Structure formats: C-alpha cells, structure tokens
Amino acid sequence: MIKYPSKLNIIFDKLLYCGAKPIIIGGFIRDYLLNIPSKDIDIEVYNISSFSNLEIILQEFGSVNKVGRSFGVCKLTFQDMELDFTLPRVDSKTTIGHQGFDIKIDPDLDFFSATSRRDFTINAIGFDVAEKKILDPFNGIEDLKNQVLRAVNEKTFIDDPLRVLRAVQFCARFNLTIDKPLLILAKDMIKNNMLDELSKDRIFQEIKKLLLKSKKPSIGFRLLKKLGAFKYFSDLQTINKENFNLLLSAMDKMRSLLAYDEKTNIVLMLASICYNFDAAQITNFIKRLTDEKEILTRILILIDNYPSIDYIYASGLKDLQLYKLAAKVNINEVLLLSKAIHFSRNNNIEIAVKKRAIELNILNKKMTPILRGRDILTLQTSSKYKIKPSKEFTIILNKAYEAQMRGEFTSYSQALVWLEKYLPKEIQ
C-alpha cells in the first residue's frame, strides 16, 4: 500500500467516474519506498480517449498548463501541489538530443508496454489507485532493496543521452551501485560523444541535482570519472589523485553545511569543487556548465577571499580587516568555504571570525555607510566649495567609508564633521 495525499482522491474519484484509470508512477513511488518525502507526483491515466478529454476533466480542479502537451504531459496546479498527468505513449527516436523523439499517445496501451520507455527500473514502479495495488513489471522494488541501478531497456536507453547524467545523480542521491551492463552502456555513450547532443542547460540541471540533492555528491563525481565523463571538464581531468580526494571531501563537507537559497547553495558547491583552480581554470570550468555571469563572479570572489580568514585570525581579528572583507564578500559564505576546504581541522578559526563578524553586524552584509551622496550636496549649500555629482563623488564616498571602517567616526554628526574637514582639502 502506498500512502499519497488524501486530498488527491477528489481528482482520482472523478477520473474513475469517467472510466479512466489513474496510476501514480515514478519518483513519488520510488521516494515513498525509500522513506523520502516528495511533493512531485506523476499520474499516468489509462482508458481515456484523448488528451482533450483529460484536460476537460482536470479543469474543475485548478489551472491546467498545456505547455507539455506535445510531450504527452498535462500539468495541474492543485492547491499547493504541482501534478503531472500523462497518457500512455510510445516514443520513437527521430533525431539526436534529449528531445529528439516522435511521441504517440496510445490510450489502449497496457502498463508494461507504457513503462517500457522509462529509464530505470526504480522509476517504473506504479500504484493503481483503484485497486490499491503496486505495479512493478521490471522488479524495481527488488533493485531498491539491493541498492542497484538498472536500465528498464538497454536497447532504448541509448536513445536519450541525458540518462547517463541521471544515472550518476540517482546513484549519488540514493546511494546506489550502477549494475555492470548499464555501466558499460554509459561508458560507451560517453566514449561515442553522445553527451555533446545535450544543451549546456540540461547538463547543468543534472549537475545541480547531483550537488544539491545528494548527501554525498562525491559518489556521483567518482562515477563521472569512472565513466570517462571528465573529458567534458578538462580541468577536473588533470587533477592528481591526492587533490581529487581532497576536492571530494571538501564537496561532501560543503553539502552538509548548506542553508541558503538554491543559487547561493550551488555557488558554494561549485566553489568547493574548483577552489584549487586558478582564475582561468575556474572560468573555463564554470562556463562549461552555465553562462550565468553572477554565478561565475561570486565563485571567483569567494575563492579569491577565503584565504583571508586564516590571515585575519592570525593577525588578531582586527575590525578594519573584517570590515574590508565584508565590503568584498559575504563573510558567512566565505567562512563556509573555508570550513569545507579545511575539513580535517577543528573549526576554532572560523568560529572566532564568525563570532566577531556577528558582533560587528557584518556576517551577511557589509557595514552600512553613514555618509551618502546627498550629504555632500547638503553640505555644499553652505560652503564656498562646489562639486557636481560625478566620479569625484564616488572617490569622496569611498574615502568616507574607509574612514568609517577605521573608526574615525561612528555617528552621523561625527561623519559631517569629518566631511567638512575633508571636502576643502580635496576640492580646493
């Protein structure tokens, strides 16, 4: 018996009333059997004549998104859930790439034939809602028990090169061992350059899942290396065994520390992978994954500044140094990177730096500047020295900020006194 959200019964009852047969399939069933919470629910609907009829039935329950219709997918937003409804179909490979398929809907297809197109046995387990029965035509439950990843159909597995990366991230996420026939198959697909058929974005999406959904992403990276996939990441391919093991340990440690939004988490994970690279190598590695400039910029800044943590601690935790660091980078993020890289030592250094940064209120932000451009304009109204807003403003404000960091003033009134003394010197 599979327990699913009971609120779905109103939809299932309507489908059954209309003569349709809903079967929950895929990730939700797999995760349930592994005791992993899941909100992603895929429902395959049998015994319904057309996609249009399915949409008509579902419309009374919420917003229906028809974007995936050409792929046989109908998305329903129901209360706080995103549900994917599909009709049984047959896929025929027509051209290269992840989406190079001719998809034919066949409402009369049986469950075994419909699930034959799926990638792995653990994703081909279904639950018949009407009969309250688990359907497992390819022994996926046994594979889950044995922690083995097998292909449903080795002949059609090669039709979609993305499945190689999915195999890697599933092994890492669920601590599975890839079975020998699938291992050989995936190696051959990589050797034959089939990953070249994938877009950069599709590759990045799978790498993100590997890094953010696995407790030990190192499992996936060891498998990527074993499969020969590092030929797509030349900078990883040249790392010696010792540094590679250090990288894996840093990556796993960073994964245990994550507590931010998805973008920050992926920035931290990628930084933990390429912290030993120079700027050119970092740029090459990140651009192989994504064109998002913000991600690259943040990683470069983090890696450039993480050595400062040890220096600041050794120098006696001077406030000025911490203020300057906070002006360049998020201190908490750089502390996490430092902790991941120095995973084998105690955390005394990071703890001490974090404590002082919290006291100075700069752990996740830079010190708030007291003086603004408007203060320069206000002061000029009663001064014989005039300066128009320009790059000179920026210079003056930067000098004021440095003075504030050095503790030359700590209040607005003190800042205005400093500015009155400073302005004439600079513009006379």
Side-chain angles (χ1 to χ4, degrees), residues 101 265 371:
F101 292 90
N265 286 341
L371 287 176

Side-chain angles (χ1 to χ4, degrees), residues 78-113:
F78 177 67
Q79 297 184 18
D80 60 341
M81 306 178 72
E82 292 289 336
L83 307 173
D84 280 6
F85 290 84
T86 59
L87 296 183
R89 71 189 198 220
V90 176
D91 299 342
S92 300
K93 185 72 171 177
T94 57
T95 185
I96 63 172
H98 171 57
Q99 298 181 343
F101 292 90
D102 178 34
I103 296 171
K104 292 183 179 178
I105 303 298
D106 186 350
D108 297 321
L109 210 60
D110 63 272
F111 184 77
F112 178 88
S113 300

Side-chain angles (χ1 to χ4, degrees), residues 31-48:
D31 291 350
Y32 180 87
L33 294 170
L34 291 171
N35 294 314
I36 298 173
S38 177
K39 290 185 177 181
D40 297 327
I41 301 183
D42 297 342
I43 299 121
E44 199 147 70
V45 184
Y46 293 76
N47 301 339
I48 194 164

Side-chain angles (χ1 to χ4, degrees), residues 308-343:
S308 301
I309 298 299
D310 283 13
Y311 175 77
I312 290 172
Y313 180 81
S315 300
L317 287 175
K318 293 183 175 65
D319 291 350
L320 177 59
Q321 292 173 331
L322 283 168
Y323 282 133
K324 286 187 173 182
L325 181 62
K328 293 185 288 185
V329 67
N330 182 297
I331 289 182
N332 203 35
E333 291 175 21
V334 89
L335 282 169
L336 292 177
L337 181 58
S338 176
K339 191 182 293 187
I341 292 169
H342 301 298
F343 58 89

Side-chain angles (χ1 to χ4, degrees), residues 18 36 42 125 133 136-137 168 175 178 181 194 202 229 254 266 288 342 349 361 371 373 401 404 410:
C18 294
I36 298 173
D42 297 342
I125 308 168
K133 182 173 68 175
D136 186 19
V168 170
N175 196 23
I178 191 169
M194 290 186 67
R202 287 306 302 151
M254 180 60 83
I266 197 63
R288 187 70 181 84
H342 301 298
I349 293 175
N361 195 29
L371 287 176
Y401 195 55
Q404 182 182 339
T410 57

Side-chain angles (χ1 to χ4, degrees), residues 13-72:
D13 289 345
K14 181 63 180 287
L15 288 167
L16 291 169
Y17 176 79
C18 294
K21 182 179 182 179
I23 294 177
I24 302 173
I25 189 167
F28 181 84
I29 304 298
R30 176 200 67 221
D31 291 350
Y32 180 87
L33 294 170
L34 291 171
N35 294 314
I36 298 173
S38 177
K39 290 185 177 181
D40 297 327
I41 301 183
D42 297 342
I43 299 121
E44 199 147 70
V45 184
Y46 293 76
N47 301 339
I48 194 164
S49 59
S50 70
F51 212 97
S52 296
N53 286 345
L54 175 62
E55 290 172 354
I56 291 170
I57 294 172
L58 295 178
Q59 279 174 356
E60 71 174 89
F61 301 106
S63 173
V64 177
N65 186 336
K66 305 177 184 179
V67 173
R69 186 171 182 174
S70 60
F71 296 99

Side-chain angles (χ1 to χ4, degrees), residues 61 77 98 157 161 182 230 252 266 297 310 325 396 409:
F61 301 106
T77 301
H98 171 57
F157 185 88
L182 182 54
F230 278 4
D252 286 347
I266 197 63
T297 300
D310 283 13
L325 181 62
I396 294 170
F409 55 82

Side-chain angles (χ1 to χ4, degrees), residues 159-350:
D159 289 345
D160 185 358
L162 188 68
R163 289 172 171 175
V164 173
L165 297 179
R166 283 172 60 80
V168 170
Q169 58 114 336
F170 281 142
C171 284
R173 285 170 59 188
F174 307 121
N175 196 23
L176 305 176
T177 299
I178 191 169
D179 84 324
K180 190 172 182 179
L182 182 54
L183 178 70
I184 294 171
L185 190 61
K187 276 186 175 181
D188 287 342
M189 291 171 71
I190 290 173
K191 186 178 179 180
N192 293 327
N193 301 317
M194 290 186 67
L195 293 190
D196 286 339
E197 299 176 18
L198 300 173
S199 68
K200 183 185 296 187
D201 181 64
R202 287 306 302 151
I203 292 174
F204 191 37
Q205 293 304 316
E206 295 304 314
I207 295 296
K208 282 200 290 188
K209 290 176 185 176
L210 165 58
L211 293 175
L212 301 182
K213 292 189 175 185
S214 310
K215 288 185 178 179
K216 294 189 68 175
S218 60
I219 294 172
F221 270 71
R222 288 189 189 279
L223 184 53
L224 283 172
K225 185 176 183 180
K226 188 174 184 178
L227 293 174
F230 278 4
K231 74 177 187 177
Y232 293 93
F233 307 102
S234 57
D235 297 296
L236 289 177
Q237 199 168 25
T238 57
I239 297 177
N240 63 39
K241 183 177 180 180
E242 180 182 359
N243 285 335
F244 183 60
N245 288 332
L246 289 173
L247 176 159
L248 296 178
S249 296
M251 183 195 311
D252 286 347
K253 179 64 176 178
M254 180 60 83
R255 176 62 186 85
S256 71
L257 298 172
L258 297 182
Y260 282 94
D261 59 276
E262 181 179 295
K263 178 164 281 188
T264 298
N265 286 341
I266 197 63
V267 164
L268 289 167
M269 288 303 301
L270 292 173
S272 72
I273 294 172
C274 54
Y275 71 90
N276 258 336
F277 294 167
D278 60 33
Q281 289 175 309
I282 294 169
T283 301
N284 183 59
F285 175 68
I286 300 303
K287 284 189 173 181
R288 187 70 181 84
L289 288 170
T290 177
D291 292 323
E292 291 187 60
K293 292 181 180 179
E294 180 191 345
I295 289 178
L296 174 59
T297 300
R298 290 176 65 180
I299 290 171
L300 286 169
I301 292 172
L302 276 171
I303 293 176
D304 187 48
N305 284 283
Y306 89 85
S308 301
I309 298 299
D310 283 13
Y311 175 77
I312 290 172
Y313 180 81
S315 300
L317 287 175
K318 293 183 175 65
D319 291 350
L320 177 59
Q321 292 173 331
L322 283 168
Y323 282 133
K324 286 187 173 182
L325 181 62
K328 293 185 288 185
V329 67
N330 182 297
I331 289 182
N332 203 35
E333 291 175 21
V334 89
L335 282 169
L336 292 177
L337 181 58
S338 176
K339 191 182 293 187
I341 292 169
H342 301 298
F343 58 89
S344 60
R345 74 182 186 189
N346 60 44
N347 298 326
N348 291 344
I349 293 175
E350 288 79 17

